Amino acid sequence: MVNMACKLELLFTLALVLGTLCISHAGDADILSDFIVPMNTTIDGNFFTFTGMRVLLGGDFPTTFKVLKASMAEFPALNGQSVSYAVLQYPAGSVNPPHTHPRASELLFLLNGNLQVGFVDTTNKLFTQTLQAGDIFVFPKGLIHYQYNYDEKNSAIAVSAFGSASAGTASIPSSVFNTSIDSGILAKSFKTDVETIQKIKSGFVA
């Protein structure tokens, strides 16, 4: 009887551990319906259509790096669908600064121009590549990465797909220098002085 109780306790413990592991590795939750409808929303073809990218057609190219997103925030029909898009526009010489997407990997398809791209893994190894139009590059989930249009004369444009309706973006420079982290702490962390940190912070003031 005692032996059976021990076995049941062991099985219950294993089930808890496995359940915790599954939760910790989950992406978007699976849904139990075809799609999720927000309250007070009319469902027809319009609900499943996103027109926010129309501004790209015939519009002026931006003078600084710009991202147009089609994520759950902009396109509610994506809720529960585990997918989202972004169109990235890189003027000549511009950069998409180091950042992460905590909830999704990113698959970038370069439509036009050239880009230098890279990401850093958890052992601090840097993986880089120079992309030409037609190339695809994957940025693994949660890892710090960047894109740089090194061409000083020509722009570039890319489309990124994400394995989440809400991939999230954490900009490393902005998260570090455009928040209320104490300048003294940052100075010690970056092995520099407070004056240097404050100069960097001033560059983020609108």
Side-chain angles (χ1 to χ4, degrees):
M1 188 72 173
V2 173
N3 193 29
M4 179 60 72
C6 288
K7 287 181 179 178
L8 288 173
E9 185 177 344
L10 178 61
L11 287 173
F12 180 72
T13 303
L14 285 173
L16 282 178
V17 170
L18 290 173
T20 302
L21 287 174
C22 288
I23 291 170
S24 66
H25 288 89
D28 289 2
D30 287 333
I31 59 176
L32 301 178
S33 59
D34 295 335
F35 44 84
I36 298 174
V37 182
M39 292 181 63
N40 303 317
T41 301
T42 301
I43 296 300
D44 57 18
N46 291 317
F47 176 71
F48 300 100
T49 304
F50 181 70
T51 61
M53 299 299 179
R54 290 181 182 177
V55 296
L56 294 167
L57 306 177
D60 293 332
F61 206 85
T63 57
T64 58
F65 170 74
K66 185 175 181 180
V67 181
L68 289 175
K69 297 179 181 179
S71 68
M72 191 172 70
E74 299 82 18
F75 190 11
L78 294 182
N79 189 7
Q81 302 304 317
S82 300
V83 67
S84 57
Y85 272 108
V87 175
L88 304 98
Q89 297 174 287
Y90 310 84
S94 65
V95 64
N96 184 4
H99 61 281
T100 68
H101 303 295
R103 295 183 289 275
S105 55
E106 175 181 359
L107 193 63
L108 181 141
F109 176 33
L110 184 59
L111 296 174
N112 183 57
N114 300 281
L115 288 178
Q116 287 180 358
V117 300
F119 70 85
V120 180
D121 72 7
T122 54
T123 68
N124 288 330
K125 182 176 180 179
L126 174 64
F127 296 86
T128 63
Q129 185 60 276
T130 300
L131 303 182
Q132 299 178 11
D135 292 346
I136 294 176
F137 191 86
V138 63
F139 300 101
K141 179 179 179 180
L143 298 185
I144 295 173
H145 60 281
Y146 65 89
Q147 301 107 33
Y148 170 51
N149 180 7
Y150 59 91
D151 191 326
E152 294 294 335
K153 295 182 179 179
N154 300 300
S155 60
I157 188 166
V159 174
S160 284
F162 300 91
S164 168
S166 182
T169 300
S171 169
I172 305 306
S174 183
S175 295
V176 173
F177 296 107
N178 197 26
T179 57
S180 56
I181 298 175
D182 182 77
S183 294
I185 293 172
L186 293 177
K188 289 181 183 296
S189 300
F190 287 94
K191 297 182 175 19
T192 187
D193 54 77
V194 170
E195 183 180 358
T196 300
I197 295 297
Q198 289 176 339
K199 284 182 180 178
I200 296 173
K201 282 186 171 184
S202 68
F204 289 90
V205 177

